């Protein structure tokens, strides 16, 4: 690789992207066609095939490529990740480019308007599972490197994970095991969203998350609802009352001890939230405070699972016990451990009828807040603005990327930049997931501009992120 001194031009990069875009989309379509769901109930061979496909694309660019794994905390082998590298000029910063090649399960086929694992273009959108989250992120990295080619002025390390949608169970062990292969001054995580279609954003805060399973019991066996209904409290009654206690009349979280941070400087219009979320016209929004703060900087609690008989197979019985699972989103400044303790105490304090409470499995990931004074943030925002031709914004995300806490612990001196190709209508994790192609092109150009700027700054990028500057 050769060091460059003159800046790249965003317009010329857009022209080059247009010239190769059909080929880029073909590669993305090939990745979408692989059902790489890293869940135990799905065929792991598909995740391996996906890793091999990504590795082949990286090799085509001349990168040094490996497919690697690490064990989870309980010793179970993790899913394969792709790690690739290219050296930069002497003294140049090293940039780690992260994305993930695994995807969410498709869900019910009848909920899709297209085949979930067939990339289908309709106008300016490409539909398919993983088209946006996060196989487009992979192609942003690879295509930006393709655009830069011999003028790449930074050392590059590519890390394409294979189990992010499953909670990244081997991630921390992977970082520790392959620390020398991943160390970098700047880490670009291409797995987020933009403010709107046509408006770029750098994600600078993420809510943390934790999940909590618990069981409520009132009987030692099921009994006839006609014989004992009205006298004996069933587990369903106890469960609904304790679940209702989690929120106040406005729908705001009513659990003491969960952190919240000040209002966001930017906000959503209610019409935008309604359109993007698909909330029904007669449904009121919940919570208090600005809409952005409700989604980014306040906690939320959602019941995501409840083990009860289906209506079609229900019988006239009082249920003796019931199990539920909560998804709890944490504001920056909170911790999963503190949140789980607060929610557990709330459940204990609000359990009705002397019912029995059993706490089950828990999991968690920490929230994150970027340093807005980091020079790398300014460079990234400038690249986004030039690539889109629209002023970039900084924004929070209500969702979580728990492994960022691991990245910061293993590489504490690195600057972390969270970018992405999704827009509010991408419907990641849902049926009819899609990629907005004009933003996809702009994201490619933005990353090329970012890498070029970091390379031209040379060691000055180390001022933004005084890390290892280790060369691949």
């Amino acid at each position: 690789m050769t060091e460059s001194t003159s800046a790249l031009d965003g317009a010329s990069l857009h022209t080059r992207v247009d010239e190769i875009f059909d080929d880029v989309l073909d590669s993305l379509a090939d990745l979408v066609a692989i059902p790489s769901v890293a869940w135990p109930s799905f065929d792991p061979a598909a995740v391996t095939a996906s890793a091999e496909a990504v590795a082949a694309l990286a090799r085509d660019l001349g990168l040094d490529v490996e497919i690697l794994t690490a064990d989870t905390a309980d010793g179970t082998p993790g899913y394969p990740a792709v790690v690739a590298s290219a050296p930069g000029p002497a003294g140049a910063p090293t940039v780690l480019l992260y994305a993930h090649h695994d995807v969410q399960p498709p869900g019910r086929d009848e909920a899709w308007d297209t085949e979930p694992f067939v990339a289908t273009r309709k106008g300016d959108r490409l539909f398919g599972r993983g088209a946006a989250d996060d196989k487009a992120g992979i192609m942003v990295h690879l295509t930006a490197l393709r655009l830069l080619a011999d003028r790449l002025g930074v050392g590059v390390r590519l890390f394409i994970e294979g189990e992010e949608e499953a909670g990244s169970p081997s991630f921390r062990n992977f970082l520790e095991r392959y620390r020398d292969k991943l160390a970098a001054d700047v880490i670009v995580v291409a797995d987020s969203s933009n403010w709107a279609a046509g408006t770029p954003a750098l994600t600078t805060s993420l809510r943390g998350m934790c999940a909590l399973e618990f069981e409520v019991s009132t009987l030692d066996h099921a009994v006839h609802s006609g014989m004992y209904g009205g006298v004996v409290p069933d587990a369903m009654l106890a469960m609904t009352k304790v679940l209702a206690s989690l929120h106040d009349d406005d729908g705001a979280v009513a659990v003491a001890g969960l952190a919240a941070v000040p209002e966001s400087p930017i906000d959503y219009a209610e019409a935008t939230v309604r359109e993007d979320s698909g909330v029904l016209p007669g449904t009121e929004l919940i919570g208090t405070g600005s809409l952005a703060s409700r989604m980014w900087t306040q906690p939320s609690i959602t019941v995501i699972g409840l083990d009860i008989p289906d209506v079609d197979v229900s019988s006239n019985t009082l249920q003796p016990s019931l199990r539920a699972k909560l998804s709890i989103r944490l504001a920056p400044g909170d911790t999963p451990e503190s949140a789980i303790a607060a929610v557990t105490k709330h459940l204990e304090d609000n359990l009705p009828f002397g019912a029995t409470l059993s706490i089950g499995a828990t999991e968690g990931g920490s929230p994150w807040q970027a340093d807005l004074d980091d020079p790398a943030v300014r460079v990234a925002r400038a690249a986004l603005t030039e690539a889109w031709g629209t002023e970039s914004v900084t924004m929070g995300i209500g969702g979580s990327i728990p492994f960022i806490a691991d990245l910061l612990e293993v590489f504490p001196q690195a600057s972390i930049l969270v970018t992405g190709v999704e827009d509010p209508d991408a419907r990641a994790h849902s049926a009819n997931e899609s990629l907005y192609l004009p933003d996809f092109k702009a994201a490619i150009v933005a990353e090329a501009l970012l890498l070029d700027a970091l390379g031209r700054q040379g060691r000055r990028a180390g001022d933004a992120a005084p890390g290892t500057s280790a060369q691949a």
Side-chain angles (χ1 to χ4, degrees), residues 201-271:
L202 186 70
T203 298
T204 54
S205 73
L206 294 161
R207 286 196 294 192
M209 62 82 63
C210 55
L212 172 66
E213 296 179 13
F214 67 96
E215 186 174 48
V216 171
S217 302
T218 58
L219 295 159
D220 61 12
H221 66 280
V223 295
H224 196 295
S225 61
M227 298 290 292
Y228 297 100
V231 175
V232 174
D234 62 312
M236 174 62 79
L237 177 59
M239 177 65 80
T240 55
K241 289 182 74 68
V242 75
L243 291 180
S245 74
L246 295 170
H247 299 85
D248 64 20
D249 290 342
D250 291 323
V253 172
V255 176
L258 297 180
V261 299
E263 295 281 335
S264 168
I266 57 176
D267 197 14
Y268 285 96
E270 181 173 337

Side-chain angles (χ1 to χ4, degrees), residues 212 246 255-259 301 328 334-350:
L212 172 66
L246 295 170
V255 176
L258 297 180
I301 299 179
I328 307 151
D334 211 340
T335 67
E337 296 79 12
S338 174
I340 288 173
V343 173
T344 298
K345 184 177 188 305
H346 180 93
L347 296 175
E348 293 170 345
D349 291 346
N350 288 272

Side-chain angles (χ1 to χ4, degrees), residues 47-48 50-60 62-70 79-86 96-97 101 142 156-162 174 177-183 471-472:
V47 185
T48 299
S50 181
E52 291 170 346
V54 173
L57 292 172
R59 289 191 189 98
D60 288 344
L63 275 64
D64 183 15
V65 182
E66 299 175 276
I67 296 177
L68 303 172
T69 62
Y79 287 87
V82 178
V83 175
S85 61
L96 176 67
L97 304 175
H101 66 90
L142 294 175
V156 166
R157 285 157 177 193
L158 188 70
F159 175 24
I160 310 299
E161 188 193 355
F174 195 98
R177 182 172 183 179
Y178 303 112
R179 181 193 298 254
D180 292 343
K181 297 178 183 290
L182 302 173
Q471 296 302 300

Side-chain angles (χ1 to χ4, degrees), residues 259-265 290 292-294 296-298 331-332 369:
V261 299
E263 295 281 335
S264 168
S290 71
S293 73
R294 295 182 222 179
W296 301 348
T297 61
Q298 294 187 37
Q369 176 71 56

Side-chain angles (χ1 to χ4, degrees), residues 162-175:
E163 56 185 26
E164 192 273 344
E165 300 291 9
S168 302
S170 71
F171 191 89
R172 182 56 180 262
N173 285 346
F174 195 98
L175 293 186

Side-chain angles (χ1 to χ4, degrees), residues 421-436:
V421 297
E422 296 173 28
D423 69 282
D425 201 34
R427 303 191 187 187
H429 294 203
S430 301
N432 299 313
E433 176 183 346
S434 71
L435 172 68
Y436 183 57

